Amino acid sequence: KQWYQRRVRGVIVNKFREHQIDFKKQFVMWFSGLRGAIAFSLALHLPFPNEKRRVIVSTTLVIVLFSILFFGGSTMPLMKLLQNIDSDDKPPTKHKKLPQSDEESEDEEP
């Protein structure tokens, strides 16, 4: 139920933004979010005896590292997949090079 509430809040807040964030970008932000930092910090502060605490912290660390490697490593392929899906709808946009000021162009000359 919590993911649904967050999604509804995200849609409502997005309606009032000047530059709205489309669903694909929201999905990528969620997918590449915090990788267990909260879970690890909570595991460090649990009031258990030393042996149980070590097991909990070690298990949490293994899960966090796995999620970092798996989700972090698959973020770029996900973005490419979403870009390919998006390119079927409209042509890709090209980035324009910003004009340089006179001061910057003088600094670059040898």
Side-chain angles (χ1 to χ4, degrees), residues 1 20 23 33-35 41-42 44-46 48-49 64-65 67 69 77 92-93 98-99 105 107 110:
K1 188 175 178 179
Q20 293 186 354
F23 179 72
L34 291 175
R35 302 271 175 238
S41 65
L42 288 173
L44 287 175
H45 291 56
L46 285 175
F48 284 110
V64 168
L65 290 175
S67 69
L69 295 174
T93 58
L98 295 174
S105 60
D107 293 339

Side-chain angles (χ1 to χ4, degrees), residues 19-69:
H19 302 286
Q20 293 186 354
I21 302 171
D22 65 353
F23 179 72
K24 290 178 186 177
K25 289 179 184 169
Q26 289 178 19
F27 183 75
V28 169
M29 287 191 296
W30 167 81
F31 188 80
S32 59
L34 291 175
R35 302 271 175 238
I38 295 171
F40 185 64
S41 65
L42 288 173
L44 287 175
H45 291 56
L46 285 175
F48 284 110
N50 279 342
E51 190 59 36
K52 285 184 180 180
R53 188 167 175 260
R54 282 189 206 135
V55 170
I56 291 173
V57 169
S58 298
T59 305
T60 304
L61 189 57
V62 166
I63 293 171
V64 168
L65 290 175
F66 172 77
S67 69
I68 287 172
L69 295 174

Side-chain angles (χ1 to χ4, degrees), residues 59-104:
T59 305
T60 304
L61 189 57
V62 166
I63 293 171
V64 168
L65 290 175
F66 172 77
S67 69
I68 287 172
L69 295 174
F70 179 76
F71 289 113
S74 59
T75 299
M76 191 57 97
L78 174 71
M79 291 175 64
K80 288 179 181 178
L81 175 72
L82 291 175
Q83 187 176 16
N84 286 341
I85 292 171
D86 192 35
S87 66
D88 295 340
D89 301 336
K90 58 187 173 186
T93 58
K94 293 191 175 190
H95 299 287
K96 296 179 181 179
K97 190 172 183 180
L98 295 174
Q100 294 181 348
S101 67
D102 293 335
E103 294 173 1
E104 290 177 359

